[in-house]
Amino acid sequence: MALSRLLPRLQSRPEPDPEPVEEKPVEAVEEPPRLQAVPEPVAPPNAESALMANVIALANQKGGVAKTTTTLNLGVAMRERGNRVLVIDLDPQGNLTMSQGMNPDAIERSMFDVLVHRVPISDVIKTVEVDIAVASIDLAGAELALSALIGRERALEKALVEVRDRYDYVLIDTPPSLGLLTINAFVAADGVIVPVQCEYLSLRGLVQLENTLAMVRENLNPRVHVQGIVPTMYDGRTLHAREAIEILEEHFGDLVYETRIRKTVRYAEAPVKGNSVLKYDPSGPAAQAYRDLAKEVLDGAKARDDA
């Protein structure tokens, strides 16, 4: 409906009749063809978030449960499947950095500078088997330095803004504690994968980890959740290991991945050469285990995106 029909007509003053004017025939002018407006493409729901990396923290406050081994080899296996992957070494021990043949003591800029001095994270990323944001021993002082800063729990989240659109997955190797560095990882993450050694003491730490996640969800990052649990250092010959798996599956159900990371010396030998186990022994069962795990993680992410 034309706008003029919606508005009241104004009464115009009567004007005197004009003198008759001889009308001349007007030549028809051909109108140029009008351009058809092309509709703008409609972006699918959550298009912006679909282009951003899925950030996964690998965490367990108990040490020696294969967090670093899992972070590196899962990242390399994801890259083998065509994904753009960044791994972040957030552990002051720098084991992830050393596992790719770099010396943490010789690194000039590291994740310490990113978190404390606001150095762009792209300045500390090195490209080896995957892109890795490196750590140095300076990271041991990060928690003390961060404690005096406002918004200290969001330092990593802010740093990742620069690069989240460059990767499909970001994997964060956390220290064996539930301190400020691990909290930073939880605040930045979409999900948490928990490597769990198949023994009783390692299982007990899951309760404390979930309590910490609940506090982070309530106050800082409502989307973070336990994405999956990876049984590591599994020895199927022992009754204790089999019972540990049963306890995990009884309490956590489908969160427990089907893949079992078994005990093998290959995981200890590969970092000596500065390689992942997928490069060190590409056709061995140790490498295949992480390829299987990568498939599970990626299939789970795809199922959530399609839901």
Side-chain angles (χ1 to χ4, degrees):
M1 181 182 293
L3 183 61
S4 59
R5 296 185 181 181
L6 300 178
L7 299 176
R9 293 180 179 272
L10 297 178
Q11 297 295 325
S12 58
R13 295 181 181 178
E15 297 181 1
D17 295 335
E19 297 180 0
V21 179
E22 183 180 354
E23 295 183 1
K24 295 181 180 180
V26 181
E27 296 181 1
V29 180
E30 184 177 352
E31 269 190 44
R34 295 184 179 178
L35 297 177
Q36 297 294 323
V38 179
E40 294 184 3
V42 179
N46 300 323
E48 184 177 349
S49 61
L51 298 174
M52 304 293 275
N54 187 347
V55 181
I56 302 172
L58 287 94
N60 190 329
Q61 70 270 27
K62 186 178 184 303
V65 296
K67 280 194 305 292
T68 300
T69 299
T70 299
T71 303
L72 176 60
N73 291 293
L74 177 59
V76 173
M78 285 176 160
R79 186 171 183 179
E80 273 191 356
R81 298 177 71 90
N83 294 281
R84 300 168 299 166
V85 179
L86 170 67
V87 297
I88 297 176
D89 193 350
L90 212 60
D91 188 344
Q93 297 176 83
N95 289 339
L96 182 60
T97 301
M98 286 190 289
S99 294
Q100 285 289 270
M102 290 173 278
N103 180 4
D105 297 333
I107 289 171
E108 293 183 3
R109 285 185 167 185
S110 72
M111 284 302 299
F112 173 83
D113 301 285
V114 173
L115 297 175
V116 177
H117 300 308
R118 303 294 191 262
V119 169
I121 194 171
S122 56
D123 288 1
V124 305
I125 293 176
K126 311 294 183 186
T127 300
V128 274
E129 289 181 72
V130 289
D131 287 359
I132 174 172
V134 296
S136 68
I137 191 62
D138 294 339
L139 200 55
E143 296 206 359
L144 181 60
L146 284 171
S147 64
L149 301 179
I150 296 174
R152 54 190 173 270
E153 299 92 351
R154 298 191 181 277
L156 180 58
E157 180 186 35
K158 292 174 182 176
L160 283 176
V161 170
E162 178 197 0
V163 296
R164 277 194 73 167
D165 61 345
R166 303 180 196 174
Y167 297 98
D168 300 308
Y169 288 90
V170 175
L171 306 182
I172 307 170
D173 184 27
T174 61
S177 71
L178 294 176
L180 195 50
L181 289 174
T182 301
I183 297 299
N184 261 268
F186 290 165
V187 172
D190 301 300
V192 177
I193 290 178
V194 187
V196 177
Q197 187 177 355
C198 295
E199 62 177 40
Y200 176 70
L201 291 178
S202 186
L203 302 185
R204 285 183 58 85
L206 282 171
V207 177
Q208 188 178 357
L209 178 67
E210 180 52 42
N211 290 340
T212 303
L213 278 176
M215 287 188 290
V216 171
R217 273 194 301 270
E218 183 177 349
N219 298 291
L220 295 164
N221 179 7
R223 72 181 183 278
V224 71
H225 63 285
V226 174
Q227 182 171 325
I229 296 172
V230 185
T232 63
M233 306 173 77
Y234 176 70
D235 185 351
R237 297 170 300 178
T238 66
L239 176 62
H240 184 73
R242 295 196 300 271
E243 287 179 340
I245 292 290
E246 290 176 4
I247 293 171
L248 276 176
E249 292 177 336
E250 179 183 347
H251 286 83
F252 298 100
D254 293 339
L255 286 177
V256 183
Y257 290 119
E258 293 292 331
T259 304
R260 309 286 183 254
I261 306 300
R262 296 176 179 272
K263 280 186 178 180
T264 170
V265 71
R266 292 291 183 265
Y267 296 129
E269 292 172 347
V272 177
K273 301 294 184 181
N275 296 328
S276 71
V277 76
L278 287 87
K279 183 176 182 181
Y280 177 73
D281 184 19
S283 58
Q288 187 57 46
Y290 277 105
R291 292 189 181 103
D292 294 342
L293 178 62
K295 183 177 185 303
E296 279 197 83
V297 174
L298 294 171
D299 287 350
K302 183 177 184 300
R304 284 190 299 274
D305 290 342
D306 293 343

